[in-house]
């Protein structure tokens, strides 16, 4: 665990030493706020709800999270630092987990900074701390799943742009197959299956305030599964 | 300390290493020599547990690299080729990170950091981002990183590449100094470096060991019988030549030039130490020797001979 934290610390530090971290964060926050207020105009003042906010952020996160994860392995491979890193006395799993935690910390900080938006909305309407809590819980679980997927994809290439695009598309597909609009367009026998694996449908129900243990277990297993793949790919591709 | 037993590794169709075996005793400095693509880096990567081998085994301090990988890595300090480092970390920050992973605890960690910065000459650069350093300074940071936990075993892949002559001399001194207590494997293309730092040399070509021994052994072995050049004054060349033949030193006597009462000869000697006998001969004959020089084979020539012949054959 100690090693995991050391790796996470190193990732976070080198992230904040480069301006890129701040740029991503600012772009994410500005984009979210702009889109949110656009929605509000669209619905006439005061009509946009918490629901709209929690519907919007997962979409913006589709781009934001792969942007965080894209460099995490790809850059190590590009610079050759993977060799120095993986010949330190660390287990593969510790390094993978450390990188994941660093990304998660960055995600949590950024999500925390969006907090004023829903608060403004609920102050105008009826403040509902339960809904806020559920919404953020859903966002964290969803974002962490995106992150695990993006991190794994980053370990497969040394090109950050490729990692970004692939991860964004992968997350988009996994998100969209659970959205109602999409589900009405596919054969009905597919629906339960798609709903089962989709990232989006579970999010909707958590965000609506239905915290089902199965949904949480689902997200945790998605995260675990992709972190496991990540360990395998690091192990196999170290020397390549 | 390091045992490598019939190691082999291929990358697709390329054979990077084929049945490579050698041992390095504690306190030895072993030099890896070989042309580009010989397999030096590959061998080092396997020893440092970065990539797995296809066949054979490596043991470091008695521990198998495949089974006790983390423990083996704890013993080793590894400087990869061209010292890859994080560009967006500071020098101190990076060394601190490596130190913590190496389990150096805080009071000692700060002390080790200062020592490394001192030894590797990084004082002026310690607060810079690594990405803004020149190649030579990055190499020094890389070296500091390999030394920070005072490892028993050092694996250095071309440690002096990219350095200026002064820095090269410094790093060589450093390697010699720390090499007294440590086991070191270093690879290089610079032959004088091997002669200056290594107690033993292995020459690798196309994934195979083609020669090994001390630098002296290698040069004398491929030298065969010594050839001596001598210039004699105060005697006619026609008299000197038969006298040399009769001396029993060697039959291959060749007159190179005869000018103004001076004659220069090349003598292929059978005796291992012909100089003393030649002096005595000159005294007996009343010659004045103005030159007596043994032709030496440099490690460079050995290297060229071993690595080009092999390539031509295959
Ligand atoms: N990851 C890899 N994938 C494919 N081939 C590789 C890989 N790494 C090394 N090789 C091949 O293995 C052989 C040995 O390479 P290696 O890097 O060990 O040589 P080297 O002796 O270190 O050479 P140099 O002096 O240029 O550093 C070369 O033919 C090289 O092309
Ligand atoms: Mg090499």
């Amino acid at each position: 665990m100690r090693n995991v934290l050391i790796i996470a610390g190193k990732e976070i530090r080198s992230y904040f030493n480069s301006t890129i971290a701040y740029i991503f964060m600012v772009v994410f926050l500005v984009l979210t706020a702009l889109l949110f207020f656009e929605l509000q105009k669209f619905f006439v003042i005061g009509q946009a709800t918490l629901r709209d906010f929690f519907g919007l952020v997962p979409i913006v996160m589709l781009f934001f999270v792969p942007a965080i994860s894209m460099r995490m392995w790809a850059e190590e491979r590009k610079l050759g630092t993977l060799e120095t890193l993986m010949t330190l006395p660390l287990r593969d799993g510790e390094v993978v987990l450390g990188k994941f935690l660093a990304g998660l910390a960055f995600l949590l900080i950024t999500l925390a900074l969006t907090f004023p938006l829903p608060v403004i909305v609920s102050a105008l309407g009826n403040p509902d701390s339960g809904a806020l809590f559920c919404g953020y819980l859903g966002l964290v679980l969803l974002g962490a799943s995106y992150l695990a997927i993006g991190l794994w994809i980053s370990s497969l290439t040394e090109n950050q742009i490729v990692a970004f695009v692939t991860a964004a598309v992968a997350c988009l597909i996994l998100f969209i197959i659970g959205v109602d609009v999409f589900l009405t367009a596919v054969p009905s026998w597919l629906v339960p299956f798609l709903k089962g694996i989709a990232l989006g449908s579970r999010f909707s129900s958590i965000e609506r305030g239905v915290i089902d243990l199965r949904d949480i277990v689902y997200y945790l297993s998605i995260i675990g599964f992709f972190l496991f793949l990540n360990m395998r790919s690091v192990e196999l591709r170290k020397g390549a | 300390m390091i045992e490598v037993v019939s190691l082999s590794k291929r990358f697709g169709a390329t054979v990077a290493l084929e049945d490579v075996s050698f041992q390095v005793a504690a306190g030895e400095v072993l030099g890896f020599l070989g042309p580009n693509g010989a397999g030096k880096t590959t061998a080092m990567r396997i020893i440092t547990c970065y990539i797995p081998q296809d066949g054979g085994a490596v043991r470091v301090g008695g521990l198998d690299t495949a089974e006790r990988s983390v423990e083996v890595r704890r013993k080793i300090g590894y400087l990869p080729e061209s010292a890859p480092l994080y560009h967006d970390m500071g020098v101190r920050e990076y060394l601190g990170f490596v130190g913590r992973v190496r389990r150096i605890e805080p009071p000692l960690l700060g002390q080790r950091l200062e020592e490394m910065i001192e030894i590797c000459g990084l004082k002026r650069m310690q607060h810079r981002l690594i990405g803004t350093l020149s190649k030579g300074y990055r190499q020094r940071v890389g070296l500091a990183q390999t030394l920070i936990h005072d490892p028993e075993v050092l694996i250095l892949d071309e440690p002096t590449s990219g350095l200026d002559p002064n820095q090269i001399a410094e790093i060589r001194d450093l390697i010699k100094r720390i090499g007294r207590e440590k086991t070191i494997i270093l690879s290089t293309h610079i032959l004088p470096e091997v002669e200056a730092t290594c107690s033993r040399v292995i020459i690798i070509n196309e994934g195979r060991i083609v020669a090994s021994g001390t630098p002296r052994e290698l040069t004398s072995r491929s030298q065969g019988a010594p050839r001596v050049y001598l210039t004699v004054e105060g005697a006619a060349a026609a008299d000197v030549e038969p006298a040399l033949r009769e001396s029993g030193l060697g039959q291959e006597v060749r007159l190179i030039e005869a000018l103004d009462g001076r004659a220069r000869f090349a003598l292929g000697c059978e005796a291992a130490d012909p100089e003393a006998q030649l002096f005595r001969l000159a005294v007996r004959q009343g010659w004045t020797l103005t030159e007596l020089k043994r032709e030496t084979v440099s490690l460079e020539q050995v290297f060229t001979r071993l690595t080009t012949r092999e390539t031509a054959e295959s």
Side-chain angles (χ1 to χ4, degrees), chain B residues 14-17 32-42 81 157-158 161 187-190 203-208 303 307-308 311:
Chain B
T14 357
V15 178
L17 290 176
F32 268 1
L33 274 177
N36 291 127
K40 305 181 292 295
T41 300
T42 305
E81 200 167 2
D157 201 348
E158 299 187 23
S161 80
S187 78
T188 178
H189 293 289
I190 309 164
I203 301 184
I204 305 183
N205 189 37
E206 301 196 327
R208 289 166 183 278
F303 177 82
T307 55
T308 49
T311 320

Side-chain angles (χ1 to χ4, degrees), chain A residues 33-195:
Chain A
L34 276 180
L35 287 173
F36 184 62
F37 287 120
E38 276 305 305
L39 273 182
Q40 229 171 9
K41 260 188 244 156
F42 182 72
F43 283 116
V44 188
I45 313 291
Q47 289 294 303
T49 58
L50 271 186
R51 176 74 42 84
D52 297 316
F53 174 76
F54 288 118
L56 174 68
V57 176
I59 310 288
V60 188
M61 278 203 309
L62 277 176
F63 302 96
F64 175 65
V65 176
I68 303 177
S69 63
M70 65 179 185
R71 78 200 286 268
M72 292 189 131
W73 288 109
E75 192 172 67
E76 300 263 11
R77 282 155 59 72
K78 179 125 199 161
L79 289 176
T81 46
L82 195 60
E83 192 167 353
T84 356
L85 182 66
M86 301 317 274
T87 51
L88 288 173
L90 297 167
R91 280 169 225 289
D92 295 352
E94 292 172 335
V95 184
V96 170
L97 210 57
K99 283 178 179 278
F100 176 73
L101 284 187
L104 192 63
F106 191 66
L107 180 68
L108 289 179
I109 294 171
T110 314
L111 283 179
L113 292 175
T114 64
F115 197 62
L117 282 176
V119 167
I120 291 170
V121 179
S122 22
L124 293 176
N126 50 332
D128 182 349
S129 55
L132 267 179
F133 172 78
C134 290
Y136 272 103
L137 177 68
L139 285 183
V140 169
L141 288 171
L142 185 65
S145 310
Y146 287 170
L147 183 67
I149 295 170
L151 199 58
W152 171 60
I153 289 173
S154 172
S155 75
L156 302 176
T157 172
E158 58 177 55
N159 186 325
Q160 295 190 29
I161 306 300
V162 170
F164 172 74
V165 174
T166 317
V169 170
C171 294
L172 180 67
I173 291 172
L174 279 176
F175 182 77
I176 262 187
I177 55 176
V179 172
D180 292 340
V181 191
F182 179 81
L183 287 174
T184 52
V186 297
S188 55
W189 56 269
L190 256 179
V191 171
F193 172 70
L194 289 180
K195 267 197 150 155

Side-chain angles (χ1 to χ4, degrees), chain B residues 5 22 92 100 123 128 144 191 208 211 262 268 270 282:
Chain B
V5 186
F22 61 87
R92 283 188 81 95
R100 277 193 298 279
K123 237 196 175 77
R128 298 257 295 258
L191 293 152
R208 289 166 183 278
R262 257 181 217 214
E270 275 146 30

Side-chain angles (χ1 to χ4, degrees), chain A residues 17 71 76 83 86 238, chain B residues 45 50 73 78 86 88:
Chain A
N17 278 348
R71 78 200 286 268
E76 300 263 11
E83 192 167 353
M86 301 317 274
K238 273 194 292 207
Chain B
R45 285 180 167 172
Y50 181 54
R73 282 182 268 166
Y78 176 39
Y86 299 106
D88 43 23

Side-chain angles (χ1 to χ4, degrees), chain B residues 97-144:
Chain B
F97 159 68
V98 176
R100 277 193 298 279
V101 172
R102 295 291 192 179
R103 308 241 172 116
I104 307 172
E105 301 301 331
L108 184 63
L109 182 62
Q111 194 186 321
R112 288 296 294 165
L113 257 165
E114 294 309 326
E115 274 173 46
M116 287 304 113
I117 284 169
E118 182 70 41
I119 290 176
C120 299
L122 287 164
K123 237 196 175 77
R124 283 190 308 126
M125 302 294 163
Q126 57 178 320
H127 297 296
R128 298 257 295 258
L129 280 185
I130 294 172
T132 67
L133 296 182
S134 68
K135 171 98 172 67
Y137 276 103
R138 281 186 207 172
Q139 194 76 17
R140 290 168 185 233
V141 177
L143 207 61

